[in-house]
Amino acid sequence: SQQGEEDPQALSIQEGENATMNCSYKTSINNLQWYRQNSGRGLVHLILIRSNEREKHSGRLRVTLDTSKKSSSLLITASRAADTASYFCATDARGDYKLSFGAGTTVTVRA
Amino acid sequence: NAGVTQTPKFRVLKTGQSMTLLCAQDMNHEYMYWYRQDPGMGLRLIHYSVGEGTTAKGEVPDGYNVSRLKKQNFLLGLESAAPSQTSVYFCASSYSRGRGDNTEAFFGQGTRLTVV
């Protein structure tokens, strides 16, 4: 079964609003990553947070990690139409080589 | 710098036919992965490799084989295609700081495979 699960499955917001999505995982991890996928394209890396970090920022992105709850959140501030995409979290379990993805959150930003 | 290149981009197979998908990366990455993506199911790991000459099974390996004879190439084979293997296939590669300590993965643009 997949390691990470995103919530919600889909999200629709107005341009300028913030978008928040969550990821829960099952086993201890080394890192958690977030990726974006535009329709019909490959995945693009957004941000990586290590297990000893609690929060990380990159431009309009803010990621938090709570290892005690085995969960992470991705916040996109001041959303734009170009943020319309699917967002996936990915984890590499401690002691494992595999990079496992969740089912993703589809975000639609309305103009 | 090409990154990760997948060939072909599209393919239609008849049930029972075989084919090989090629993934090539020019970033000298140790780790390479093959995923399949089906609607509503995200990416599922088929096989992966942590170095030249090594391969390992992922979540959904049945019906697929892989080889990594050269560090830059990772091949995914379907020996006898089935309609259930209709999917979009993605290859990815990454550098590693050590066992289970991945860095960002770089993805190819995908191969859309239809088995009829």
Side-chain angles (χ1 to χ4, degrees), chain A residues 69-80:
Chain A
K69 294 181 179 178
K70 293 187 170 59
S71 67
S72 173
S73 67
L74 171 66
L75 168 68
I76 305 172
T77 60
S79 62
R80 306 167 181 169

Side-chain angles (χ1 to χ4, degrees), chain A residues 11 13 17-21 74-79 107 109:
Chain A
L11 185 58
I13 55 173
E17 292 181 337
N18 296 342
T20 300
M21 60 210 84
L74 171 66
L75 168 68
I76 305 172
T77 60
S79 62
V107 175
V109 181

Side-chain angles (χ1 to χ4, degrees), chain A residues 47-72:
Chain A
I47 196 165
L48 180 152
I49 186 166
R50 298 180 71 86
S51 59
N52 61 355
E53 298 176 310
R54 292 297 167 257
E55 187 170 314
K56 205 161 183 180
H57 296 256
S58 177
R60 294 184 295 111
L61 305 179
R62 172 179 170 255
V63 169
T64 63
L65 179 64
D66 187 335
T67 53
S68 66
K69 294 181 179 178
K70 293 187 170 59
S71 67
S72 173

